[in-house]
Amino acid sequence: MPSAINERVVQLYPLSNYTFGTKDPQYEKDASVAARFQRMRDEYATIGMRKTVEGVLLVHEHNLPHVLLLQLGTSFFKLPGVEVPPGGDEVECLKQCLSETLGRQGDTIHWGVDEMICNWWRPNYEPPQYPYVPPHVTKPKEHRRLFLVRLPERAMFAVPRNYKLVAAPLFELYDNSNGYGPVISTLPQNLSRFSYVYA
């Protein structure tokens, strides 16, 4: 049994416990990266810094944690997540997003969102993000928070047709920012503080 102080034990279930169907496509709000940053710029004047929450869903294969990622096209991967409206509750917004993105109509999945993994900040209306606020930045433009999501023992997911839901092993993500970007590629380090029990 883990004996370290404040060590968190996370129960993981095998990928084979989950089934995957499809549903109608879901499209991004913005047609391009440039449009995304323009919308961020436009909204900053009225609502201030954008707040985004994303879910890290873990399963295991052969007793190795895998992260469930949404794949768009051949080389773009993302965590399921959503922008939090002003005054919105981060956890409730994330749960609703997960149900809308991966849930089936008429079915309820109990998402266990209770552990924040890491924070990332975007200083400007540009791609670079950092796991800290750079000292010269007084008004970051976006704050991203990643949460560990405990999955039920079994579930059926409905994946939008324009995405694939892939299970990426931690060793594939580690130090692979070219393939997965700076946030997803550091998940192995951020997840190493947990101990895992494999069902």
Side-chain angles (χ1 to χ4, degrees), residues 58 64-67 168-175 187-188 191-192 196:
L58 295 177
L64 179 71
H66 286 55
V67 179
L170 292 187
F171 66 78
E172 186 177 316
L173 302 181
Y174 177 69
D175 202 26
L187 282 175
L191 292 169
S192 68
Y196 298 100

Side-chain angles (χ1 to χ4, degrees), residues 7 80 114 166 181:
E7 187 168 14
D114 62 1
V166 298

Side-chain angles (χ1 to χ4, degrees), residues 5 8 33 66 78 93 116 140 144 155:
I5 295 174
R8 172 75 191 276
V33 173
H66 286 55
K78 67 178 224 171
C93 285
M116 200 268 294
R144 292 174 68 184

Side-chain angles (χ1 to χ4, degrees), residues 108-198:
T108 301
I109 298 176
H110 297 285
W111 309 101
V113 181
D114 62 1
E115 185 93 24
M116 200 268 294
I117 297 174
C118 61
N119 291 283
W120 285 80
W121 284 268
R122 188 186 307 276
N124 300 300
Y125 307 109
E126 299 170 348
Q129 302 168 76
Y130 304 93
Y132 54 87
V133 179
H136 65 283
V137 174
T138 57
K139 295 180 179 178
K141 303 306 181 280
E142 183 179 17
H143 180 196
R144 292 174 68 184
R145 302 185 83 184
L146 275 59
F147 289 86
L148 180 66
V149 179
R150 288 179 289 104
L151 293 176
E153 184 174 358
R154 297 182 185 279
M156 180 170 184
F157 299 121
V159 184
R161 280 194 192 86
N162 53 326
Y163 287 102
K164 284 195 286 188
L165 191 65
V166 298
L170 292 187
F171 66 78
E172 186 177 316
L173 302 181
Y174 177 69
D175 202 26
N176 190 0
S177 60
N178 287 338
Y180 294 95
V183 176
I184 293 174
S185 65
T186 56
L187 282 175
Q189 293 94 316
N190 288 313
L191 292 169
S192 68
R193 64 191 175 96
F194 301 111
S195 293
Y196 298 100
V197 175
Y198 304 105

